[in-house]
Amino acid sequence: MGKVSKDKRDAYYRLAKEQGWRARSAFKLLQLDEEFDLFTNVSRVVDLCAAPGSWSQVLSRVLIKGEKFGRAAWQDREAKLRQQMLNVFPTEDDSADTVGATESQSVRPPQEVRRDVKIVSIDLQPMSPLQGIITLRADITHPATVPLLLRALDPSYDPKAAAAAKGKKGGSSKQAFQPVDLVISDGAPDVTGLHDLDIYVQSQLLFAALNLALCVLKPGGKFVAKIFRGKNVDLLYAQMKIFFERVVVAKPRSSRASSVEAFIVCIGFRPPPGFEASLEDPLGVGGRLDRLLEERRAQRPIIAEVRMQDHERGTWDYCPAELGFTAESAAAVEEEGVVEVEAFDEQEQEEGGRRDGSRWIAPFLACGDLSAFDSDASYQLPEDYVSLDPVQPPTAPPYRRALEMRKTAGGAYGKVVQA
């Protein structure tokens, strides 16, 4: 498929090249910002799974250079037009208050480069540099990434001194660290087409991003990450509600409707009392898992075992009644240690949890201007249209080694490649 056909089939791919974005995913972050106002009062940001850098490019142009896009840019143009019309057609009854109000509505001059903004981008793949962006090539699932991130955010941060402070009574491992306002993640695995497997791998990537975000977010901070919508999205919403005041699953218009991709937007970070995040002991795993499972077993009511009939074998088996499972499920629980976990909010925990079997319903919001391009539609290009090259070619594509091996072998079909 050539570039022209892709420009016709994917309008946002074409617009990304025309407007200078590294990838079409930049429009997704811009449309999320229009709906949730993500960049207001934000000066410290961490971009996870950042390559090729389209979201970092948005952060650089909006937070550092002060550029405006979408609705904000349209409002500025309207204000500038009103200002020009008032200057061209002045009225006799203009009072001092009206003049003052007009001056306050005028468009501000372009902002200078902000020096107080700190943006750190992390990815396993190399990424071309951007103005004002600190790039780390690291694994977000590894505990050693947190000290690297903290040192990139605050050069004066000393991991040894922080560890010594943590060992003292009442000390904290992040005493010399200034937390961040926003953590974003556009990471996704290479999809296989097996939806259950893809959703599981994506959930593990989201789990790693959340654990790192809990380590660096300040109270009231925001977290945005890509998810694959599946049957467990309600459980994901309930889990996020433990740490954030507002959680919404959003679908930008630039995201194809035929894709299961969506974004979970978490606003108002409020960790539970006494909670301290760490990648060495992440949520739900590590040394705490056995203790949590033992506490859950101790909290179950003592109920006599019941015998359930196996219709296939014609036998009767004992099943723990408090689990409410079949005989086969109970055997799997006893053998593998699998326990079903329920999520409650604070009020339901005080009342003893839900008894009616009802579920959380995650709010879903489609964001983006309805007059914008449809990401699933094809548009006719003008006759004089010239297709542009991508803004940033791949720095380390996975197919590079395959091309080198093919060239060494003599071409695609064993033919000798002429120098």
Side-chain angles (χ1 to χ4, degrees), residues 15-50:
L15 289 177
K17 295 188 297 182
E18 294 177 354
Q19 299 181 12
W21 300 112
R22 292 188 174 185
R24 66 188 301 279
S25 56
F27 296 104
K28 302 175 186 177
L29 183 59
L30 291 173
Q31 292 173 355
L32 290 173
D33 173 58
E34 284 187 1
E35 184 65 37
F36 299 100
D37 204 12
L38 299 176
F39 301 146
T40 301
N41 300 326
V42 170
S43 59
R44 299 171 67 84
V45 188
V46 175
D47 183 9
L48 305 177
C49 306

PDB file of all heavy atoms in Angstrom, residues 15-50:
ATOM      1  N   LEU A  15      -2.979  14.166   8.309  1.00  0.00           N
ATOM      2  CA  LEU A  15      -2.902  15.410   9.068  1.00  0.00           C
ATOM      3  C   LEU A  15      -1.665  15.443   9.962  1.00  0.00           C
ATOM      4  O   LEU A  15      -1.088  16.516  10.180  1.00  0.00           O
ATOM      5  CB  LEU A  15      -4.164  15.575   9.911  1.00  0.00           C
ATOM      6  CG  LEU A  15      -5.456  15.880   9.161  1.00  0.00           C
ATOM      7  CD1 LEU A  15      -6.622  15.932  10.136  1.00  0.00           C
ATOM      8  CD2 LEU A  15      -5.340  17.191   8.411  1.00  0.00           C
ATOM      9  N   ALA A  16      -1.269  14.297  10.502  1.00  0.00           N
ATOM     10  CA  ALA A  16      -0.086  14.276  11.352  1.00  0.00           C
ATOM     11  C   ALA A  16       1.150  14.708  10.587  1.00  0.00           C
ATOM     12  O   ALA A  16       1.990  15.472  11.111  1.00  0.00           O
ATOM     13  CB  ALA A  16       0.104  12.872  11.936  1.00  0.00           C
ATOM     14  N   LYS A  17       1.275  14.275   9.337  1.00  0.00           N
ATOM     15  CA  LYS A  17       2.421  14.692   8.535  1.00  0.00           C
ATOM     16  C   LYS A  17       2.316  16.162   8.142  1.00  0.00           C
ATOM     17  O   LYS A  17       3.316  16.880   8.126  1.00  0.00           O
ATOM     18  CB  LYS A  17       2.516  13.813   7.286  1.00  0.00           C
ATOM     19  CG  LYS A  17       2.809  12.347   7.599  1.00  0.00           C
ATOM     20  CD  LYS A  17       3.097  11.558   6.347  1.00  0.00           C
ATOM     21  CE  LYS A  17       1.917  11.510   5.413  1.00  0.00           C
ATOM     22  NZ  LYS A  17       2.181  10.699   4.208  1.00  0.00           N
ATOM     23  N   GLU A  18       1.106  16.618   7.833  1.00  0.00           N
ATOM     24  CA  GLU A  18       0.938  18.017   7.440  1.00  0.00           C
ATOM     25  C   GLU A  18       1.193  18.974   8.589  1.00  0.00           C
ATOM     26  O   GLU A  18       1.729  20.069   8.388  1.00  0.00           O
ATOM     27  CB  GLU A  18      -0.466  18.224   6.880  1.00  0.00           C
ATOM     28  CG  GLU A  18      -0.731  17.492   5.566  1.00  0.00           C
ATOM     29  CD  GLU A  18      -2.156  17.671   5.100  1.00  0.00           C
ATOM     30  OE1 GLU A  18      -2.957  18.278   5.860  1.00  0.00           O
ATOM     31  OE2 GLU A  18      -2.480  17.205   3.985  1.00  0.00           O
ATOM     32  N   GLN A  19       0.835  18.584   9.801  1.00  0.00           N
ATOM     33  CA  GLN A  19       0.997  19.465  10.960  1.00  0.00           C
ATOM     34  C   GLN A  19       2.290  19.222  11.723  1.00  0.00           C
ATOM     35  O   GLN A  19       2.522  19.869  12.742  1.00  0.00           O
ATOM     36  CB  GLN A  19      -0.200  19.306  11.895  1.00  0.00           C
ATOM     37  CG  GLN A  19      -1.523  19.673  11.266  1.00  0.00           C
ATOM     38  CD  GLN A  19      -2.688  19.537  12.224  1.00  0.00           C
ATOM     39  OE1 GLN A  19      -2.498  19.380  13.428  1.00  0.00           O
ATOM     40  NE2 GLN A  19      -3.903  19.601  11.693  1.00  0.00           N
ATOM     41  N   GLY A  20       3.103  18.292  11.268  1.00  0.00           N
ATOM     42  CA  GLY A  20       4.414  18.106  11.874  1.00  0.00           C
ATOM     43  C   GLY A  20       4.454  17.183  13.068  1.00  0.00           C
ATOM     44  O   GLY A  20       5.420  17.229  13.839  1.00  0.00           O
ATOM     45  N   TRP A  21       3.439  16.316  13.230  1.00  0.00           N
ATOM     46  CA  TRP A  21       3.460  15.376  14.346  1.00  0.00           C
ATOM     47  C   TRP A  21       4.183  14.099  13.946  1.00  0.00           C
ATOM     48  O   TRP A  21       4.131  13.673  12.795  1.00  0.00           O
ATOM     49  CB  TRP A  21       2.034  15.040  14.792  1.00  0.00           C
ATOM     50  CG  TRP A  21       1.233  16.200  15.255  1.00  0.00           C
ATOM     51  CD1 TRP A  21       0.150  16.738  14.626  1.00  0.00           C
ATOM     52  CD2 TRP A  21       1.435  16.987  16.426  1.00  0.00           C
ATOM     53  NE1 TRP A  21      -0.341  17.810  15.333  1.00  0.00           N
ATOM     54  CE2 TRP A  21       0.436  17.987  16.451  1.00  0.00           C
ATOM     55  CE3 TRP A  21       2.362  16.960  17.458  1.00  0.00           C
ATOM     56  CZ2 TRP A  21       0.336  18.924  17.459  1.00  0.00           C
ATOM     57  CZ3 TRP A  21       2.262  17.897  18.468  1.00  0.00           C
ATOM     58  CH2 TRP A  21       1.264  18.864  18.465  1.00  0.00           C
ATOM     59  N   ARG A  22       4.820  13.468  14.912  1.00  0.00           N
ATOM     60  CA  ARG A  22       5.561  12.244  14.634  1.00  0.00           C
ATOM     61  C   ARG A  22       4.645  11.059  14.373  1.00  0.00           C
ATOM     62  O   ARG A  22       5.049  10.106  13.684  1.00  0.00           O
ATOM     63  CB  ARG A  22       6.484  11.920  15.809  1.00  0.00           C
ATOM     64  CG  ARG A  22       7.624  12.915  15.972  1.00  0.00           C
ATOM     65  CD  ARG A  22       8.616  12.436  17.014  1.00  0.00           C
ATOM     66  NE  ARG A  22       9.779  13.302  17.065  1.00  0.00           N
ATOM     67  CZ  ARG A  22      10.850  13.067  17.809  1.00  0.00           C
ATOM     68  NH1 ARG A  22      10.886  11.976  18.576  1.00  0.00           N
ATOM     69  NH2 ARG A  22      11.872  13.893  17.795  1.00  0.00           N
ATOM     70  N   ALA A  23       3.449  11.074  14.944  1.00  0.00           N
ATOM     71  CA  ALA A  23       2.502   9.976  14.753  1.00  0.00           C
ATOM     72  C   ALA A  23       1.092  10.520  14.925  1.00  0.00           C
ATOM     73  O   ALA A  23       0.880  11.565  15.551  1.00  0.00           O
ATOM     74  CB  ALA A  23       2.765   8.835  15.736  1.00  0.00           C
ATOM     75  N   ARG A  24       0.121   9.784  14.375  1.00  0.00           N
ATOM     76  CA  ARG A  24      -1.272  10.213  14.455  1.00  0.00           C
ATOM     77  C   ARG A  24      -1.811  10.155  15.878  1.00  0.00           C
ATOM     78  O   ARG A  24      -2.851  10.747  16.176  1.00  0.00           O
ATOM     79  CB  ARG A  24      -2.140   9.331  13.552  1.00  0.00           C
ATOM     80  CG  ARG A  24      -2.212   7.882  14.015  1.00  0.00           C
ATOM     81  CD  ARG A  24      -2.910   6.981  13.023  1.00  0.00           C
ATOM     82  NE  ARG A  24      -4.258   7.387  12.743  1.00  0.00           N
ATOM     83  CZ  ARG A  24      -5.302   7.125  13.499  1.00  0.00           C
ATOM     84  NH1 ARG A  24      -5.129   6.454  14.632  1.00  0.00           N
ATOM     85  NH2 ARG A  24      -6.501   7.521  13.163  1.00  0.00           N
ATOM     86  N   SER A  25      -1.133   9.437  16.781  1.00  0.00           N
ATOM     87  CA  SER A  25      -1.599   9.344  18.163  1.00  0.00           C
ATOM     88  C   SER A  25      -1.552  10.682  18.886  1.00  0.00           C
ATOM     89  O   SER A  25      -2.141  10.821  19.962  1.00  0.00           O
ATOM     90  CB  SER A  25      -0.766   8.317  18.930  1.00  0.00           C
ATOM     91  OG  SER A  25       0.611   8.637  18.871  1.00  0.00           O
ATOM     92  N   ALA A  26      -0.860  11.679  18.331  1.00  0.00           N
ATOM     93  CA  ALA A  26      -0.837  13.006  18.953  1.00  0.00           C
ATOM     94  C   ALA A  26      -2.245  13.585  19.056  1.00  0.00           C
ATOM     95  O   ALA A  26      -2.576  14.270  20.036  1.00  0.00           O
ATOM     96  CB  ALA A  26       0.067  13.951  18.153  1.00  0.00           C
ATOM     97  N   PHE A  27      -3.110  13.310  18.067  1.00  0.00           N
ATOM     98  CA  PHE A  27      -4.475  13.833  18.102  1.00  0.00           C
ATOM     99  C   PHE A  27      -5.274  13.207  19.241  1.00  0.00           C
ATOM    100  O   PHE A  27      -6.201  13.839  19.761  1.00  0.00           O
ATOM    101  CB  PHE A  27      -5.169  13.579  16.761  1.00  0.00           C
ATOM    102  CG  PHE A  27      -4.538  14.312  15.605  1.00  0.00           C
ATOM    103  CD1 PHE A  27      -3.744  13.645  14.698  1.00  0.00           C
ATOM    104  CD2 PHE A  27      -4.725  15.675  15.444  1.00  0.00           C
ATOM    105  CE1 PHE A  27      -3.158  14.306  13.632  1.00  0.00           C
ATOM    106  CE2 PHE A  27      -4.148  16.360  14.385  1.00  0.00           C
ATOM    107  CZ  PHE A  27      -3.349  15.673  13.474  1.00  0.00           C
ATOM    108  N   LYS A  28      -4.947  11.988  19.623  1.00  0.00           N
ATOM    109  CA  LYS A  28      -5.664  11.355  20.728  1.00  0.00           C
ATOM    110  C   LYS A  28      -5.418  12.110  22.027  1.00  0.00           C
ATOM    111  O   LYS A  28      -6.356  12.377  22.796  1.00  0.00           O
ATOM    112  CB  LYS A  28      -5.223   9.901  20.867  1.00  0.00           C
ATOM    113  CG  LYS A  28      -5.437   9.071  19.617  1.00  0.00           C
ATOM    114  CD  LYS A  28      -4.871   7.669  19.765  1.00  0.00           C
ATOM    115  CE  LYS A  28      -4.965   6.896  18.454  1.00  0.00           C
ATOM    116  NZ  LYS A  28      -4.357   5.550  18.560  1.00  0.00           N
ATOM    117  N   LEU A  29      -4.170  12.469  22.297  1.00  0.00           N
ATOM    118  CA  LEU A  29      -3.867  13.212  23.519  1.00  0.00           C
ATOM    119  C   LEU A  29      -4.468  14.602  23.476  1.00  0.00           C
ATOM    120  O   LEU A  29      -4.972  15.106  24.494  1.00  0.00           O
ATOM    121  CB  LEU A  29      -2.354  13.280  23.716  1.00  0.00           C
ATOM    122  CG  LEU A  29      -1.875  13.976  24.992  1.00  0.00           C
ATOM    123  CD1 LEU A  29      -2.436  13.292  26.235  1.00  0.00           C
ATOM    124  CD2 LEU A  29      -0.354  14.013  25.053  1.00  0.00           C
ATOM    125  N   LEU A  30      -4.445  15.245  22.319  1.00  0.00           N
ATOM    126  CA  LEU A  30      -5.035  16.581  22.203  1.00  0.00           C
ATOM    127  C   LEU A  30      -6.546  16.540  22.444  1.00  0.00           C
ATOM    128  O   LEU A  30      -7.103  17.422  23.107  1.00  0.00           O
ATOM    129  CB  LEU A  30      -4.738  17.162  20.822  1.00  0.00           C
ATOM    130  CG  LEU A  30      -3.271  17.520  20.540  1.00  0.00           C
ATOM    131  CD1 LEU A  30      -3.092  17.933  19.083  1.00  0.00           C
ATOM    132  CD2 LEU A  30      -2.818  18.652  21.463  1.00  0.00           C
ATOM    133  N   GLN A  31      -7.225  15.517  21.932  1.00  0.00           N
ATOM    134  CA  GLN A  31      -8.671  15.414  22.136  1.00  0.00           C
ATOM    135  C   GLN A  31      -9.001  15.037  23.578  1.00  0.00           C
ATOM    136  O   GLN A  31     -10.019  15.487  24.114  1.00  0.00           O
ATOM    137  CB  GLN A  31      -9.251  14.394  21.160  1.00  0.00           C
ATOM    138  CG  GLN A  31      -9.198  14.858  19.717  1.00  0.00           C
ATOM    139  CD  GLN A  31      -9.613  13.792  18.724  1.00  0.00           C
ATOM    140  OE1 GLN A  31      -9.865  12.646  19.091  1.00  0.00           O
ATOM    141  NE2 GLN A  31      -9.672  14.147  17.444  1.00  0.00           N
ATOM    142  N   LEU A  32      -8.154  14.248  24.221  1.00  0.00           N
ATOM    143  CA  LEU A  32      -8.352  13.974  25.643  1.00  0.00           C
ATOM    144  C   LEU A  32      -8.154  15.235  26.473  1.00  0.00           C
ATOM    145  O   LEU A  32      -8.883  15.468  27.449  1.00  0.00           O
ATOM    146  CB  LEU A  32      -7.383  12.885  26.100  1.00  0.00           C
ATOM    147  CG  LEU A  32      -7.640  11.467  25.584  1.00  0.00           C
ATOM    148  CD1 LEU A  32      -6.500  10.543  25.987  1.00  0.00           C
ATOM    149  CD2 LEU A  32      -8.958  10.931  26.117  1.00  0.00           C
ATOM    150  N   ASP A  33      -7.204  16.065  26.084  1.00  0.00           N
ATOM    151  CA  ASP A  33      -6.979  17.322  26.810  1.00  0.00           C
ATOM    152  C   ASP A  33      -8.158  18.271  26.636  1.00  0.00           C
ATOM    153  O   ASP A  33      -8.536  18.985  27.576  1.00  0.00           O
ATOM    154  CB  ASP A  33      -5.685  17.972  26.324  1.00  0.00           C
ATOM    155  CG  ASP A  33      -5.474  19.347  26.907  1.00  0.00           C
ATOM    156  OD1 ASP A  33      -5.427  19.469  28.147  1.00  0.00           O
ATOM    157  OD2 ASP A  33      -5.377  20.321  26.128  1.00  0.00           O
ATOM    158  N   GLU A  34      -8.739  18.309  25.452  1.00  0.00           N
ATOM    159  CA  GLU A  34      -9.909  19.163  25.238  1.00  0.00           C
ATOM    160  C   GLU A  34     -11.060  18.777  26.157  1.00  0.00           C
ATOM    161  O   GLU A  34     -11.794  19.640  26.647  1.00  0.00           O
ATOM    162  CB  GLU A  34     -10.362  19.070  23.777  1.00  0.00           C
ATOM    163  CG  GLU A  34      -9.496  19.832  22.798  1.00  0.00           C
ATOM    164  CD  GLU A  34     -10.103  19.840  21.410  1.00  0.00           C
ATOM    165  OE1 GLU A  34     -11.199  19.257  21.250  1.00  0.00           O
ATOM    166  OE2 GLU A  34      -9.497  20.406  20.491  1.00  0.00           O
ATOM    167  N   GLU A  35     -11.229  17.504  26.410  1.00  0.00           N
ATOM    168  CA  GLU A  35     -12.356  17.031  27.211  1.00  0.00           C
ATOM    169  C   GLU A  35     -12.079  17.125  28.708  1.00  0.00           C
ATOM    170  O   GLU A  35     -12.961  17.499  29.488  1.00  0.00           O
ATOM    171  CB  GLU A  35     -12.679  15.588  26.832  1.00  0.00           C
ATOM    172  CG  GLU A  35     -13.895  15.026  27.533  1.00  0.00           C
ATOM    173  CD  GLU A  35     -15.167  15.760  27.121  1.00  0.00           C
ATOM    174  OE1 GLU A  35     -15.279  16.138  25.934  1.00  0.00           O
ATOM    175  OE2 GLU A  35     -16.033  15.949  27.990  1.00  0.00           O
ATOM    176  N   PHE A  36     -10.854  16.793  29.140  1.00  0.00           N
ATOM    177  CA  PHE A  36     -10.565  16.681  30.568  1.00  0.00           C
ATOM    178  C   PHE A  36      -9.603  17.754  31.080  1.00  0.00           C
ATOM    179  O   PHE A  36      -9.278  17.743  32.267  1.00  0.00           O
ATOM    180  CB  PHE A  36      -9.971  15.296  30.864  1.00  0.00           C
ATOM    181  CG  PHE A  36     -10.884  14.165  30.514  1.00  0.00           C
ATOM    182  CD1 PHE A  36     -10.720  13.457  29.334  1.00  0.00           C
ATOM    183  CD2 PHE A  36     -11.935  13.812  31.355  1.00  0.00           C
ATOM    184  CE1 PHE A  36     -11.554  12.411  29.006  1.00  0.00           C
ATOM    185  CE2 PHE A  36     -12.783  12.776  31.032  1.00  0.00           C
ATOM    186  CZ  PHE A  36     -12.591  12.074  29.855  1.00  0.00           C
ATOM    187  N   ASP A  37      -9.137  18.645  30.202  1.00  0.00           N
ATOM    188  CA  ASP A  37      -8.265  19.748  30.620  1.00  0.00           C
ATOM    189  C   ASP A  37      -7.046  19.206  31.385  1.00  0.00           C
ATOM    190  O   ASP A  37      -6.781  19.574  32.528  1.00  0.00           O
ATOM    191  CB  ASP A  37      -9.046  20.732  31.484  1.00  0.00           C
ATOM    192  CG  ASP A  37      -8.430  22.122  31.469  1.00  0.00           C
ATOM    193  OD1 ASP A  37      -7.556  22.373  30.631  1.00  0.00           O
ATOM    194  OD2 ASP A  37      -8.812  22.947  32.319  1.00  0.00           O
ATOM    195  N   LEU A  38      -6.304  18.335  30.737  1.00  0.00           N
ATOM    196  CA  LEU A  38      -5.217  17.638  31.401  1.00  0.00           C
ATOM    197  C   LEU A  38      -4.024  18.524  31.706  1.00  0.00           C
ATOM    198  O   LEU A  38      -3.295  18.279  32.673  1.00  0.00           O
ATOM    199  CB  LEU A  38      -4.756  16.459  30.530  1.00  0.00           C
ATOM    200  CG  LEU A  38      -5.787  15.375  30.230  1.00  0.00           C
ATOM    201  CD1 LEU A  38      -5.206  14.346  29.272  1.00  0.00           C
ATOM    202  CD2 LEU A  38      -6.260  14.702  31.515  1.00  0.00           C
ATOM    203  N   PHE A  39      -3.780  19.566  30.897  1.00  0.00           N
ATOM    204  CA  PHE A  39      -2.538  20.322  30.987  1.00  0.00           C
ATOM    205  C   PHE A  39      -2.632  21.574  31.844  1.00  0.00           C
ATOM    206  O   PHE A  39      -1.662  22.325  31.946  1.00  0.00           O
ATOM    207  CB  PHE A  39      -2.065  20.712  29.583  1.00  0.00           C
ATOM    208  CG  PHE A  39      -1.834  19.538  28.677  1.00  0.00           C
ATOM    209  CD1 PHE A  39      -2.093  19.621  27.314  1.00  0.00           C
ATOM    210  CD2 PHE A  39      -1.370  18.337  29.179  1.00  0.00           C
ATOM    211  CE1 PHE A  39      -1.885  18.543  26.482  1.00  0.00           C
ATOM    212  CE2 PHE A  39      -1.163  17.241  28.358  1.00  0.00           C
ATOM    213  CZ  PHE A  39      -1.420  17.350  27.010  1.00  0.00           C
ATOM    214  N   THR A  40      -3.778  21.817  32.466  1.00  0.00           N
ATOM    215  CA  THR A  40      -3.914  23.000  33.316  1.00  0.00           C
ATOM    216  C   THR A  40      -3.140  22.818  34.620  1.00  0.00           C
ATOM    217  O   THR A  40      -3.268  21.784  35.287  1.00  0.00           O
ATOM    218  CB  THR A  40      -5.397  23.264  33.625  1.00  0.00           C
ATOM    219  OG1 THR A  40      -6.105  23.467  32.400  1.00  0.00           O
ATOM    220  CG2 THR A  40      -5.553  24.498  34.504  1.00  0.00           C
ATOM    221  N   ASN A  41      -2.330  23.816  34.966  1.00  0.00           N
ATOM    222  CA  ASN A  41      -1.522  23.802  36.194  1.00  0.00           C
ATOM    223  C   ASN A  41      -0.610  22.572  36.249  1.00  0.00           C
ATOM    224  O   ASN A  41      -0.428  21.962  37.302  1.00  0.00           O
ATOM    225  CB  ASN A  41      -2.418  23.846  37.435  1.00  0.00           C
ATOM    226  CG  ASN A  41      -3.287  25.085  37.500  1.00  0.00           C
ATOM    227  OD1 ASN A  41      -2.870  26.160  37.071  1.00  0.00           O
ATOM    228  ND2 ASN A  41      -4.490  24.950  38.008  1.00  0.00           N
ATOM    229  N   VAL A  42      -0.045  22.230  35.125  1.00  0.00           N
ATOM    230  CA  VAL A  42       0.856  21.075  35.024  1.00  0.00           C
ATOM    231  C   VAL A  42       2.228  21.568  34.592  1.00  0.00           C
ATOM    232  O   VAL A  42       2.353  22.297  33.591  1.00  0.00           O
ATOM    233  CB  VAL A  42       0.313  20.039  34.017  1.00  0.00           C
ATOM    234  CG1 VAL A  42       1.360  18.974  33.728  1.00  0.00           C
ATOM    235  CG2 VAL A  42      -0.951  19.393  34.556  1.00  0.00           C
ATOM    236  N   SER A  43       3.238  21.196  35.331  1.00  0.00           N
ATOM    237  CA  SER A  43       4.607  21.574  34.989  1.00  0.00           C
ATOM    238  C   SER A  43       5.588  20.408  35.052  1.00  0.00           C
ATOM    239  O   SER A  43       6.711  20.532  34.578  1.00  0.00           O
ATOM    240  CB  SER A  43       5.105  22.692  35.923  1.00  0.00           C
ATOM    241  OG  SER A  43       5.069  22.267  37.274  1.00  0.00           O
ATOM    242  N   ARG A  44       5.190  19.288  35.646  1.00  0.00           N
ATOM    243  CA  ARG A  44       6.063  18.122  35.744  1.00  0.00           C
ATOM    244  C   ARG A  44       5.283  16.900  35.249  1.00  0.00           C
ATOM    245  O   ARG A  44       4.242  16.545  35.824  1.00  0.00           O
ATOM    246  CB  ARG A  44       6.538  17.916  37.188  1.00  0.00           C
ATOM    247  CG  ARG A  44       7.344  19.095  37.722  1.00  0.00           C
ATOM    248  CD  ARG A  44       7.604  18.939  39.217  1.00  0.00           C
ATOM    249  NE  ARG A  44       8.489  17.826  39.518  1.00  0.00           N
ATOM    250  CZ  ARG A  44       9.807  17.888  39.478  1.00  0.00           C
ATOM    251  NH1 ARG A  44      10.412  19.013  39.129  1.00  0.00           N
ATOM    252  NH2 ARG A  44      10.548  16.836  39.789  1.00  0.00           N
ATOM    253  N   VAL A  45       5.805  16.272  34.187  1.00  0.00           N
ATOM    254  CA  VAL A  45       5.078  15.205  33.509  1.00  0.00           C
ATOM    255  C   VAL A  45       6.038  14.046  33.250  1.00  0.00           C
ATOM    256  O   VAL A  45       7.228  14.255  32.976  1.00  0.00           O
ATOM    257  CB  VAL A  45       4.463  15.684  32.174  1.00  0.00           C
ATOM    258  CG1 VAL A  45       3.557  14.607  31.577  1.00  0.00           C
ATOM    259  CG2 VAL A  45       3.709  16.977  32.356  1.00  0.00           C
ATOM    260  N   VAL A  46       5.501  12.830  33.322  1.00  0.00           N
ATOM    261  CA  VAL A  46       6.227  11.619  32.953  1.00  0.00           C
ATOM    262  C   VAL A  46       5.446  10.930  31.844  1.00  0.00           C
ATOM    263  O   VAL A  46       4.249  10.654  31.990  1.00  0.00           O
ATOM    264  CB  VAL A  46       6.413  10.673  34.152  1.00  0.00           C
ATOM    265  CG1 VAL A  46       7.070   9.371  33.705  1.00  0.00           C
ATOM    266  CG2 VAL A  46       7.234  11.339  35.235  1.00  0.00           C
ATOM    267  N   ASP A  47       6.137  10.668  30.725  1.00  0.00           N
ATOM    268  CA  ASP A  47       5.534  10.007  29.562  1.00  0.00           C
ATOM    269  C   ASP A  47       6.125   8.606  29.469  1.00  0.00           C
ATOM    270  O   ASP A  47       7.321   8.440  29.186  1.00  0.00           O
ATOM    271  CB  ASP A  47       5.820  10.809  28.290  1.00  0.00           C
ATOM    272  CG  ASP A  47       5.145  10.208  27.069  1.00  0.00           C
ATOM    273  OD1 ASP A  47       4.322   9.286  27.234  1.00  0.00           O
ATOM    274  OD2 ASP A  47       5.438  10.670  25.938  1.00  0.00           O
ATOM    275  N   LEU A  48       5.308   7.588  29.696  1.00  0.00           N
ATOM    276  CA  LEU A  48       5.747   6.199  29.663  1.00  0.00           C
ATOM    277  C   LEU A  48       5.468   5.592  28.293  1.00  0.00           C
ATOM    278  O   LEU A  48       4.481   5.945  27.644  1.00  0.00           O
ATOM    279  CB  LEU A  48       5.035   5.391  30.752  1.00  0.00           C
ATOM    280  CG  LEU A  48       5.148   5.929  32.178  1.00  0.00           C
ATOM    281  CD1 LEU A  48       4.335   5.067  33.130  1.00  0.00           C
ATOM    282  CD2 LEU A  48       6.599   5.991  32.627  1.00  0.00           C
ATOM    283  N   CYS A  49       6.337   4.672  27.877  1.00  0.00           N
ATOM    284  CA  CYS A  49       6.204   4.031  26.558  1.00  0.00           C
ATOM    285  C   CYS A  49       6.073   5.102  25.480  1.00  0.00           C
ATOM    286  O   CYS A  49       5.122   5.133  24.702  1.00  0.00           O
ATOM    287  CB  CYS A  49       5.014   3.080  26.523  1.00  0.00           C
ATOM    288  SG  CYS A  49       5.023   1.841  27.829  1.00  0.00           S
ATOM    289  N   ALA A  50       7.047   6.011  25.461  1.00  0.00           N
ATOM    290  CA  ALA A  50       6.911   7.256  24.713  1.00  0.00           C
ATOM    291  C   ALA A  50       7.221   7.131  23.228  1.00  0.00           C
ATOM    292  O   ALA A  50       6.738   7.946  22.436  1.00  0.00           O
ATOM    293  CB  ALA A  50       7.826   8.322  25.328  1.00  0.00           C
TER     294      ALA A  50
END
